[in-house]
Amino acid sequence: MILGIVGGMGPLATCELFRKIIELTDADKDQDHLHIIIDNNTKIPDRTDYILDKGEDPRIEMTRSIIKLETMGVDYIAIPCNTAHYFYDDIKRYTKVKIINMIYETAYFLKENNSKDKDYLLLSTEGTYKAEIYDKTFNDLGLNILTPDDEDKKTIMKWIYGVKSSEFNISLQEFESLVNKYMKDKDIPIIIGCTELSVLVERIGLTKKYFDPMTILAKRCVELGLK
């Protein structure tokens, strides 16, 4: 089985998915690892800008990457970008190859493995919030998405673009101060709903209970690759 990764959204997040897949693979030698082809397509326009009516349509370049990967012989495809899943139904029509849906995999994983929690605080791009990418999938499985206020959404967006610029000047105290406002005296789990935030929370050592869709995606890539 050959895994294809539609990368470039952004490059550091793509690298992080690749690293997680390697670390999650039970391997004793090179040959035990997955065969992976990455198309780090940095020409894909910003997904949030398009959803907010401020930028170009990213579906053309995303589709090009998918077709390119299929031509190169991949058996399944992963997309390490939460916001890009807004276009999932549009782009999957252009390939016969299975595209893993990170949003569904996350909701299903939580339903099966974390049944005591129903509410989740989503940290993501403004595009993901506006498009309600997580809401419907989670609601269908009896789970509920909580979102920050508009001011905090903009703060989170600054963090995300900071990571894209390789800037990690966010402290653990600053990060947890924001999320604490939405805990409502409860330990509400956090969904790290942006792959740049996945990189950030590992750097700062987030102590709150959280689930990382990119880690869940990486585990699923390994499971499918070893079948």
Side-chain angles (χ1 to χ4, degrees):
M1 293 280 282
I2 302 175
L3 168 64
I5 296 177
V6 178
M9 303 180 286
L12 188 58
T14 303
C15 182
E16 186 73 1
L17 176 64
F18 188 29
R19 180 183 68 82
K20 286 179 181 292
I21 291 171
I22 292 169
E23 293 180 349
L24 289 168
T25 303
D26 184 14
D28 295 320
K29 55 185 182 299
D30 294 345
Q31 293 74 21
D32 293 334
H33 285 277
L34 301 184
H35 185 168
I36 300 175
I37 300 174
I38 301 173
D39 183 23
N40 193 54
N41 187 356
T42 53
K43 290 185 178 180
I44 299 174
D46 189 284
R47 285 65 58 202
T48 289
D49 280 352
Y50 178 76
I51 292 170
L52 299 181
D53 298 320
K54 298 191 297 184
E56 299 175 43
D57 191 336
R59 285 174 289 191
I60 297 171
E61 285 297 332
M62 288 175 66
T63 302
R64 282 177 177 162
S65 284
I66 286 167
I67 293 172
K68 183 183 297 181
L69 290 169
E70 181 177 22
T71 303
M72 296 177 74
V74 305
D75 298 289
Y76 61 120
I77 292 173
I79 305 175
C81 174
N82 290 262
T83 313
H85 282 71
Y86 174 64
F87 311 101
Y88 179 84
D89 289 334
D90 291 332
I91 62 178
K92 74 175 185 178
R93 297 185 289 116
Y94 293 96
T95 180
K96 295 179 181 178
V97 175
K98 173 183 175 63
I99 302 177
I100 303 172
N101 189 316
M102 179 164 57
I103 314 304
Y104 172 79
E105 295 293 343
T106 299
Y108 182 78
F109 175 87
L110 295 175
K111 184 71 173 180
E112 293 294 307
N113 298 281
N114 195 54
S115 57
K116 68 182 182 67
D117 289 312
K118 300 298 181 185
D119 293 334
Y120 293 88
L121 175 65
L122 176 66
L123 304 183
S124 71
T125 66
E126 290 182 283
T128 294
Y129 287 128
K130 181 179 179 181
E132 299 184 338
I133 295 167
Y134 272 87
D135 298 65
K136 184 179 187 307
T137 302
F138 270 56
N139 291 342
D140 287 347
L141 292 177
L143 305 175
N144 185 42
I145 288 292
L146 307 177
T147 59
D149 62 32
D150 289 344
E151 183 178 349
D152 285 337
K153 286 177 182 177
K154 293 186 182 303
T155 297
I156 295 167
M157 200 69 190
K158 290 179 183 177
W159 296 349
I160 291 167
Y161 282 113
V163 174
K164 287 181 181 290
S165 302
S166 298
E167 295 178 2
F168 298 89
N169 54 0
I170 310 304
S171 68
L172 175 62
Q173 182 179 6
E174 183 180 357
F175 194 103
E176 294 193 346
S177 176
L178 185 149
V179 301
N180 281 339
K181 292 193 290 183
Y182 303 96
M183 292 294 115
K184 301 177 182 177
D185 298 322
K186 295 192 296 183
D187 187 20
I188 298 174
I190 301 166
I191 300 291
I192 306 300
C194 173
T195 47
E196 273 73 34
L197 293 177
S198 300
V199 178
L200 179 61
V201 297
E202 286 201 5
R203 292 283 185 103
I204 65 176
L206 181 61
T207 63
K208 298 290 183 182
K209 181 178 181 180
Y210 72 90
F211 294 94
D212 180 9
M214 187 153 68
T215 300
I216 293 169
L217 175 63
K219 289 178 180 177
R220 188 64 178 140
C221 287
V222 174
E223 288 172 2
L224 290 173
L226 297 178
K227 281 187 177 180

